[in-house]
């Protein structure tokens, strides 16, 4: 006999729906949520979303009401009731849907113009090049000579232009609290101007399926007050701090084990961009573009066996003697 779980009773179902609605405002506490918006453009998109939500809810309630009236009227009748009057069919089946669709189309068009998802024109205060890779983000500040990955630091209240490309397949850059999503297409450059109203950390995510680890292709945008941003630029233009004996040995391991073939570090970018630049690795929150927290344990695990942590990423495992791994970690920890 197959056991089935009892069907939820109507009251339980109503309760679940109410709970879901009650949980919605909770999204506002998440760093990756379009509520509350963190920029003018995201505000335009959020307003449109709320309008669609309330309009959709009103239409849903209206349909339920009509259904309820029909059921009540048909009670006790064995034969089908009269055909509804023509005006009801015309108004509810054709006029009302047409009006709703036209209004929504007009508002969507107006919102996309106001938010101008690409190439808004106008001079940006700062240009940042972002290239999508399977499955991480290469970030370059051409004005300042800074190369980094998976975290983008911007000055709050300033207009920043992302100039975007893809190194392999189509990715899509999306920071819900700052703007709509925009595709990164191989062989084609796209632009997006954002401006964060307030300092803070805004989580972003690849929004176009790009392979096995699409879900683990996250990033962070950190908006700093402009004077702190200037200090950040200065700190990023400096090389790593002094290294002890173990770290100096670890640097040799870094070269001998082949890490340097794919990863730039020590202020010098790799010949060809294959893996994330590691010059300021330890300042990042996560490893593997948001996959795991950036700490010594995860870093060691990632070096030795990255395919277990993020299956399908392009980094091969690195077999190392225990002491070599410890030295390598000591070196990586100097990359601040
Ligand atoms: Cu990159 Cu999905």
């Amino acid at each position: 006999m197959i056991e089935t779980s009892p069907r939820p009773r109507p009251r339980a179902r109503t309760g679940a729906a109410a709970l879901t609605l009650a949980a919605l405002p909770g999204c506002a506490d998440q760093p990756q949520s379009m509520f509350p918006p963190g920029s003018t453009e995201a505000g335009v998109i959020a307003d449109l979303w709320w309008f669609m939500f309330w309009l959709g809810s009103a239409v849903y309630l209206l349909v339920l009401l009509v259904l309820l009236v029909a059921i009540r009227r048909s009670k006790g009748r064995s034969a089908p009731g009269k055909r509804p009057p023509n005006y009801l069919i015309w108004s509810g089946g054709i006029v009302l849907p047409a009006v709703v669709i036209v209004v929504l189309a007009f508002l969507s068009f107006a919102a996309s113009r106001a938010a101008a998802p690409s190439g808004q024109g106008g001079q940006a205060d700062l240009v940042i090049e972002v290239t999508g890779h399977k499955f991480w983000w290469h970030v370059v500040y051409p004005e300042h000579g800074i190369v980094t990955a998976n975290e983008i630091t911007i000055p709050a209240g300033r207009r920043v232009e992302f100039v975007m490309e893809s190194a392999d397949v189509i990715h899509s850059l999306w920071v819900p609290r700052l703007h709509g999503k925009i595709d990164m297409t191989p062989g084609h450059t796209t632009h997006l101007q954002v401006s964060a109203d307030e300092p803070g950390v805004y989580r972003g995510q690849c929004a176009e399926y790009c392979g096995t680890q699409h879900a683990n292709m996250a990033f962070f945008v950190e908006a700093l007050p402009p004077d702190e941003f200037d200090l950040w630029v200065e700190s990023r233009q400096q090389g790593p701090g002094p290294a002890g004996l173990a770290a100096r040995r670890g640097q040799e391991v870094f070269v001998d084990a082949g890490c340097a073939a794919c990863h730039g570090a020590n202020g010098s970018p790799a010949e060809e961009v294959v893996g994330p630049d590691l010059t300021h690795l330890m300042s990042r929150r996560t490893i593997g573009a948001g996959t795991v927290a950036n700490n010594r344990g995860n870093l060691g695990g990632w070096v030795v066996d990255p395919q277990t942590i993020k299956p399908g990423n392009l980094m091969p495992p690195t077999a190392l003697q225990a002491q070599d791994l410890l030295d390598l970690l000591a070196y990586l920890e100097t990359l601040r």
Side-chain angles (χ1 to χ4, degrees):
M1 192 181 111
I2 300 166
E3 290 222 10
T4 53
S5 54
R7 286 166 64 93
R9 281 165 306 168
R11 188 177 284 181
R13 266 178 268 163
T14 316
L19 263 180
T20 312
L21 270 181
L24 264 179
C27 298
D29 300 329
Q30 303 302 316
Q32 184 179 306
S33 162
M34 54 185 283
F35 316 112
S39 72
T40 312
E41 292 83 2
V44 169
I45 297 169
D47 286 348
L48 178 67
W49 189 91
W50 280 114
F51 182 80
M52 286 180 167
F53 173 77
W54 290 118
L55 185 65
S57 304
V59 170
Y60 178 67
L61 289 178
L62 183 69
V63 170
L64 280 191
L65 188 72
V66 171
L67 192 65
L68 215 63
V69 170
I71 291 171
R72 286 210 142 212
R73 283 194 176 177
S74 68
K75 262 197 183 152
R77 287 187 199 161
S78 52
K82 268 196 308 180
R83 192 172 176 273
N86 272 343
Y87 78 87
L88 264 186
I89 296 176
W90 275 95
S91 58
I94 294 170
V95 178
L96 191 61
V99 168
V100 168
I101 287 170
V102 168
V103 167
L104 286 185
F106 176 77
L107 288 177
S108 303
F109 181 68
S112 43
R113 276 193 69 109
S118 60
Q120 288 105 316
Q123 199 63 41
D125 299 312
L126 173 69
V127 171
I128 303 176
E129 296 167 359
V130 187
T131 308
H133 287 254
K134 285 162 95 178
F135 303 93
W136 59 280
W137 313 83
H138 180 63
V139 182
V140 177
Y141 296 68
E143 258 174 78
H144 304 109
I146 299 170
V147 182
T148 181
N150 302 332
E151 294 199 6
I152 307 172
T153 304
I154 62 171
R158 299 278 158 82
R159 193 142 280 281
V160 178
E161 179 159 331
F162 295 149
V163 178
M164 294 170 290
E165 279 185 29
S166 168
D168 34 49
V169 298
I170 301 176
H171 303 276
S172 187
L173 181 137
W174 190 30
V175 193
R177 286 198 60 203
L178 295 185
H179 214 306
K181 53 191 159 192
I182 189 128
D183 281 0
M184 310 167 106
T185 315
H188 180 72
T189 306
T190 46
H191 302 256
L192 181 74
Q193 287 194 0
V194 299
S195 173
D197 291 341
E198 300 286 338
V201 178
Y202 305 87
R203 192 180 190 278
Q205 171 70 42
C206 180
E208 176 73 36
Y209 183 75
C210 52
T212 336
Q213 288 297 335
H214 159 70
N216 282 322
M217 189 170 165
F219 63 103
F220 294 93
V221 173
E222 181 166 18
L224 296 174
D227 49 340
E228 279 182 39
F229 176 78
D230 294 340
L231 292 175
W232 177 86
V233 168
E234 271 177 41
S235 75
R236 286 301 172 270
Q237 286 169 336
Q238 285 157 15
L245 184 62
R248 289 204 298 273
R249 277 215 56 228
Q251 191 169 9
E252 289 166 19
V253 176
F254 187 79
V255 175
D256 295 344
C259 313
C262 300
H263 295 283
N266 213 355
S268 51
E271 293 279 306
E272 188 192 351
V273 179
V274 181
D277 187 275
L278 303 181
T279 306
H280 297 282
L281 168 70
M282 296 319 290
S283 68
R284 290 180 209 149
R285 293 165 176 77
T286 63
I287 302 170
T291 308
V292 287
N294 187 2
N295 55 45
R296 190 179 170 89
N298 285 338
L299 200 54
W302 182 273
V303 169
V304 175
D305 188 8
Q307 293 302 323
T308 296
I309 298 176
K310 189 172 178 177
N313 86 83
L314 296 185
M315 178 161 156
T318 310
L320 290 174
Q321 298 294 328
Q323 191 56 52
D324 287 347
L325 177 62
L326 292 175
D327 292 343
L328 178 63
L329 288 175
Y331 166 62
L332 293 177
E333 282 173 339
T334 65
L335 304 175
R336 301 196 167 270

